[in-house]
């Protein structure tokens, strides 16, 4: 059986920390808590679960803090969580079985990360993260913001999942502030950080700056596939805000050079044509959304297990609008889509007759 050090960085997490630690009490052979400046009861709560509670002066660098936490680990593998993460009982059993069965030559264990949920608590958006990393094998966190470890060597994909239960809003300006501090210091952002910098600029409605950042990211040719696809979508949204509609469409179409179209991408392209009265083209793209070709990507942080069906439902209703506009009758049976993607959804009204 392999051993696990749970390594966490925390700050002012008194509302959720006990919930997180209680959920992994049976999994972790060691718990390392690194506090980056709490002013509440976070350290007191952490001390109820471990005597390994350490301080780290916050330097606007998440990777530095996580690397410090990992450096304090003494077990064979380091596992990380955020304070508002939990391990549900079924996933706890999966991880316990993994501890017994994992080949000790494994370098990285990837686990699903559930980050969005429907009204019944069923995950609607998930992706893989590097969750357990072999200790003292040369792995380091990189990135002051949206930090990550690049997996290498023997990688295992587990069926276990971590559930993210966000308790409240974070500082909306923090990430952009850190990026601009790095740039002011002369730091050159790597491709992944460049992508997130462009996304932050978009969130802050600095569209022209976002366009420059995202074009620079895409032109570098060094981005992960899913980040490339996301960058094309965000770039298009920026162009729409600048009333550069043709450039927006070209940005959306550029995403097709990286992989088969995602459902939400097909909807975006369909909406472009629908808004301009080109209904035949709109329907073509909407009809590609419900069942796009399956992707086999297993790159780090891949969104290949995305289960969010909201773009599909948007496509349904926009297509219905088109049908009404052209006074045609159409029967669309979405039963299979709903049953596949939302098994707990009632079949009532899944067949739409216009």
């Amino acid at each position: 059986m392999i051993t696990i050090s749970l390594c966490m960085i925390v700050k002012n997490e008194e509302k959720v920390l006990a919930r997180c630690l209680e959920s992994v009490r049976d999994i972790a052979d060691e718990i390392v808590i690194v506090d980056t400046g709490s002013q509440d009861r976070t350290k007191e709560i952490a001390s109820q679960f471990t005597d390994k509670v350490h301080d780290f002066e916050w330097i606007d660098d998440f990777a530095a803090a996580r690397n410090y936490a990992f450096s304090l680990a003494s077990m064979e593998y380091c596992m990380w969580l955020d304070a508002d993460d939990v391990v549900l009982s079924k996933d706890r059993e999966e991880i316990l079985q993994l501890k017994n069965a994992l080949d000790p030559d494994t370098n990285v264990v990837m686990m699903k990360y559930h980050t969005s949920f429907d009204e019944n608590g069923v995950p609607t958006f998930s992706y893989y993260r590097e969750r357990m990393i072999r200790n003292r094998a040369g792995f380091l966190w990189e990135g002051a913001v949206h930090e990550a470890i690049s997996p290498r060597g023997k990688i295992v994909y587990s069926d276990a999942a971590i559930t993210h239960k966000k308790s409240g809003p974070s500082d909306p300006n923090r990430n952009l502030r850190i990026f601009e501090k790095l740039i002011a210091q002369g730091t050159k952002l790597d491709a992944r950080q460049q992508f997130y910098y462009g996304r932050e600029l978009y969130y802050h409605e600095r569209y022209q700056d976002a366009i420059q950042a995202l074009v620079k990211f895409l032109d570098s040719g060094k981005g992960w596939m899913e980040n490339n696809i996301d960058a094309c979508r965000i770039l298009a949204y920026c162009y729409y805000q600048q009333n550069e509609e043709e450039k927006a469409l070209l940005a959306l179409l550029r995403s097709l050079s990286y992989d088969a179209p995602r459902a939400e991408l097909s909807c975006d392209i369909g909406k472009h044509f629908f808004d301009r009265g080109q209904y035949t083209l709109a329907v073509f793209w909407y009809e590609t959304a419900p069942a796009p070709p399956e992707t086999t990507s297993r790159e780090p942080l891949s969104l290949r297990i995305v289960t969010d069906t909201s773009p599909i439902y948007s496509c349904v209703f926009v297509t219905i609008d088109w049908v009404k506009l052209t006074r045609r009758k159409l029967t669309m049976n979405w039963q299979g889509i709903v049953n596949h993607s939302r098994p707990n959804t009632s079949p009532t009204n899944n067949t739409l007759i216009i």
Side-chain angles (χ1 to χ4, degrees):
M1 177 186 291
I2 58 101
T3 57
I4 297 174
S5 294
L6 174 66
C7 303
M8 298 177 62
I9 59 173
V10 296
K11 181 179 180 180
N12 295 331
E13 301 287 3
E14 64 177 5
K15 293 181 180 179
V16 293
L17 184 58
R19 180 188 67 182
C20 174
L21 294 176
E22 192 65 48
S23 76
V24 293
R25 190 191 287 270
D26 298 335
I27 297 171
D29 301 284
E30 175 184 60
I31 296 177
V32 177
I33 304 293
V34 169
D35 188 275
T36 61
S38 293
Q39 297 177 333
D40 61 4
R41 296 179 54 248
T42 294
K43 292 172 66 175
E44 176 188 338
I45 294 169
S47 298
Q48 297 172 10
F49 293 85
T50 179
D51 59 357
K52 293 181 169 64
V53 180
H54 302 265
D55 292 308
F56 181 82
E57 182 180 354
W58 180 242
I59 55 173
D60 285 339
D61 191 327
F62 283 92
R66 290 208 190 274
N67 283 327
Y68 178 64
F70 272 32
S71 75
L72 301 171
S74 62
M75 299 297 157
E76 295 170 283
Y77 286 84
C78 297
M79 178 177 177
W80 66 275
L81 292 174
D82 288 333
D84 47 6
D85 292 335
V86 295
V87 180
L88 303 181
S89 57
K90 61 181 179 62
D91 297 306
R92 190 157 52 246
E93 290 303 316
E94 288 276 358
I95 296 174
L96 288 172
Q97 292 176 25
L98 181 68
K99 286 185 68 175
N100 282 310
L102 188 67
D103 186 332
D105 289 337
T106 300
N107 290 89
V108 177
V109 177
M110 307 288 287
M111 294 184 188
K112 299 172 188 175
Y113 199 19
H114 297 323
T115 59
S116 184
F117 309 86
D118 67 13
E119 61 277 6
N120 298 315
V122 177
T124 58
F125 188 87
S126 304
Y127 57 95
Y128 274 104
R129 282 296 314 249
E130 67 289 20
R131 187 59 62 178
M132 286 171 46
I133 296 92
R134 191 175 182 182
N135 196 9
R136 300 188 182 89
F139 290 98
L140 289 174
W141 290 91
E142 297 178 282
V145 181
H146 294 291
E147 69 282 10
I149 289 176
S150 296
R152 67 174 187 276
K154 184 173 182 179
I155 302 170
V156 170
Y157 283 79
S158 171
D159 290 330
I162 306 301
T163 298
H164 186 64
K165 292 190 174 183
K166 194 170 181 63
S167 60
S170 55
D171 178 0
N173 299 314
R174 180 196 64 196
N175 291 351
L176 184 57
R177 184 171 62 245
I178 292 174
F179 280 132
E180 295 195 322
K181 176 181 176 182
L182 290 172
I183 293 170
Q185 292 172 343
T187 302
K188 183 178 180 180
L189 302 181
D190 64 21
R192 188 166 177 273
Q193 295 285 288
Q194 183 72 24
F195 163 70
Y196 283 112
Y197 174 51
R199 194 175 74 170
E200 289 295 328
L201 289 168
Y202 165 70
Y203 288 160
H204 285 77
E205 300 181 0
R206 291 170 51 182
Y207 301 119
Q208 192 57 48
D209 291 338
I211 288 170
Q212 293 176 5
L214 292 168
V215 168
K216 181 178 180 179
F217 161 72
L218 289 168
D219 288 349
S220 75
K222 297 179 180 179
W224 290 343
M225 180 176 67
E226 296 297 340
N227 286 351
N228 290 337
I229 293 171
D230 281 350
C232 291
R233 295 186 72 208
I234 299 169
L235 183 58
Y237 301 157
C238 292
Y239 280 131
Y240 283 128
Q241 292 294 330
Q242 300 288 89
N243 295 315
E244 298 184 82
E245 297 179 355
E246 289 304 311
K247 288 184 178 180
L249 178 59
L250 289 174
L252 294 173
L253 294 174
R254 180 174 181 171
S255 71
L256 303 180
S257 67
Y258 300 109
D259 200 26
R262 305 295 187 260
E264 59 272 22
L265 208 295
S266 295
C267 286
D268 284 344
I269 299 174
K271 184 177 186 303
H272 176 93
F273 291 115
F274 179 84
D275 289 345
R276 288 152 188 81
Q278 296 174 269
Y279 301 124
T280 301
L281 285 172
V283 168
F284 170 82
W285 283 102
Y286 284 135
E287 287 180 341
T288 69
E294 185 173 336
T295 175
T296 57
S297 168
R298 280 199 171 217
E299 62 179 8
L301 302 183
S302 170
L303 307 187
R304 66 184 180 83
I305 60 168
V306 168
T307 56
D308 188 355
T309 59
S310 57
I312 294 175
Y313 288 96
S314 298
C315 291
V316 171
F317 293 114
V318 175
T319 306
I320 290 170
D321 288 340
W322 173 79
V323 170
K324 289 179 178 178
L325 281 172
T326 56
R327 297 183 179 179
R328 292 178 55 183
K329 292 185 178 180
L330 179 68
T331 299
M332 295 181 292
N333 190 341
W334 300 89
Q335 178 82 46
I337 299 169
V338 174
N339 286 346
H340 174 72
S341 57
R342 289 195 177 183
N344 295 325
T345 302
S346 168
T348 305
N349 296 328
N350 287 339
T351 301
L352 304 176
I353 303 176
I354 309 302

